[in-house]
Amino acid sequence: MEVFTAVDPWTALASETRRRVFSHVASGPCSVTEIARQLPVSRPAVSQHLRVLLQAELVDVRRRGREQLYQPRPDGLNQLRQELETYWTQTLTTLKTLAEQSYQATTQASEGTSP
Amino acid sequence: MEVFTAVDPWTALASETRRRVFSHVASGPCSVTEIARQLPVSRPAVSQHLRVLLQAELVDVRRRGREQLYQPRPDGLNQLRQELETYWTQTLTTLKTLAEQSYQATTQASEGTSP
DNA sequence: ATAACGCGTAAGGTAACACTTACGTGTTTT
DNA sequence: AAAACACGTAAGTGTTACCTTACGCGTTAT
């Protein structure tokens, strides 16, 4: 099947076991069987997860002898980081505004009631 | 249904339309119908998405009159940011090591062949 | 050459997901 | 008091996701 079928990194990292697969690859180059040995799923399952991670541009592959060495690729993570940063600044800005509004509300309330 | 059924933020933001829902909330407090009006899904669908976002601690609710005002909550995003930062440093460290190794390989190769 | 290894992919089954419509509850308006 | 509004949730449906076993292909070892 195609590796050029784009998959957005959110979908790619949505699966818990796929995150564990990626974490192994991110910690250093490793083969499919090597990963499968450390997880409670079959080797084909790992292989399928790695394909999704490839499509999300989160990992790369190269051959070494008869095994496929997977290694991390920054692109997908970077895209994720950018989107997340957008959400983060939006959130902080909104919360700041809300805090200022509630402050104004309390001071205005005490103005009207203190004298 | 329970709101205390934990949902990890990865799962929460895995859905495209749920991300759009969250983006609206992050940009400023808004009601359910208000969000549904800007999306190609029904109001109950938005309501269900908001419940998931609540369980992932990505949003908060408070009442205002007869509407529910949703606003962003930093907790879920923060957790996401931390995990993502771990992946990021793991990735960079691995790539740096690989770069150094391939450099050593080339210099060693030229040492053996130049004289 | 033959055996063993490492891998990808096809086929299939079960569970989860993202929607929809229908309905009931609380709050505001008239 | 009745009508209108905003919402949550139940029930049902079609699609997708994740996993398994079975198989075939290339590469290394004996």
Side-chain angles (χ1 to χ4, degrees):
Chain A
M1 194 169 271
E2 310 258 12
V3 76
F4 296 110
T5 309
V7 166
D8 80 281
W10 292 105
T11 306
L13 293 181
S15 156
E16 160 74 22
T17 71
R18 195 148 55 218
R19 256 173 280 148
R20 299 175 64 181
V21 168
F22 175 68
S23 186
H24 277 286
V25 177
S27 305
C30 44
S31 69
V32 182
T33 340
E34 203 169 340
I35 300 173
R37 221 183 318 118
Q38 318 217 37
L39 293 182
V41 295
S42 69
R43 183 193 52 74
V46 174
S47 201
Q48 289 160 9
H49 282 307
L50 284 169
R51 183 158 60 87
V52 177
L53 293 175
L54 271 174
Q55 292 169 334
E57 304 192 326
L58 284 161
V59 300
D60 257 341
V61 222
R62 62 192 158 96
R63 302 203 49 131
R64 189 186 59 182
R66 55 186 167 190
E67 53 186 10
Q68 299 270 110
L69 269 200
Y70 285 86
Q71 55 178 261
R73 180 175 171 192
D75 306 44
L77 276 190
N78 239 335
Q79 185 181 333
L80 219 47
R81 277 161 46 96
Q82 276 185 239
E83 286 193 49
L84 201 52
E85 237 16 57
T86 304
Y87 291 147
W88 185 245
T89 52
Q90 281 180 348
T91 296
L92 290 195
T93 307
T94 297
L95 291 184
K96 180 163 173 257
T97 305
L98 286 175
E100 289 170 357
Q101 283 177 0
S102 71
Y103 170 73
Q104 284 196 344
T106 55
T107 53
Q108 283 186 352
S110 59
E111 273 178 28
T113 50
S114 51
Chain B
M1 193 169 273
E2 309 257 12
V3 77
F4 297 109
T5 309
V7 166
D8 80 282
W10 292 106
T11 307
L13 293 182
S15 156
E16 161 74 22
T17 72
R18 194 147 56 219
R19 255 173 280 150
R20 297 176 65 181
V21 169
F22 174 69
S23 187
H24 276 285
V25 177
S27 304
C30 44
S31 69
V32 182
T33 338
E34 202 169 339
I35 300 173
R37 221 183 319 116
Q38 318 217 38
L39 294 182
V41 295
S42 69
R43 183 193 53 75
V46 174
S47 202
Q48 289 158 9
H49 282 308
L50 284 169
R51 184 158 59 88
V52 177
L53 294 175
L54 270 174
Q55 292 170 333
E57 303 192 326
L58 283 161
V59 301
D60 257 341
V61 222
R62 61 193 159 94
R63 301 204 47 129
R64 189 186 59 181
R66 56 186 166 189
E67 54 186 10
Q68 299 270 110
L69 267 201
Y70 285 86
Q71 57 179 258
R73 179 176 172 193
D75 306 45
L77 276 190
N78 239 336
Q79 184 181 333
L80 220 47
R81 276 161 46 95
Q82 276 185 240
E83 286 193 49
L84 202 51
E85 231 25 51
T86 304
Y87 291 147
W88 184 244
T89 52
Q90 281 179 350
T91 296
L92 290 195
T93 308
T94 297
L95 291 185
K96 180 163 173 258
T97 305
L98 286 176
E100 290 170 354
Q101 283 177 0
S102 71
Y103 171 73
Q104 284 196 342
T106 55
T107 51
Q108 283 185 352
S110 57
E111 272 179 27
T113 51
S114 51

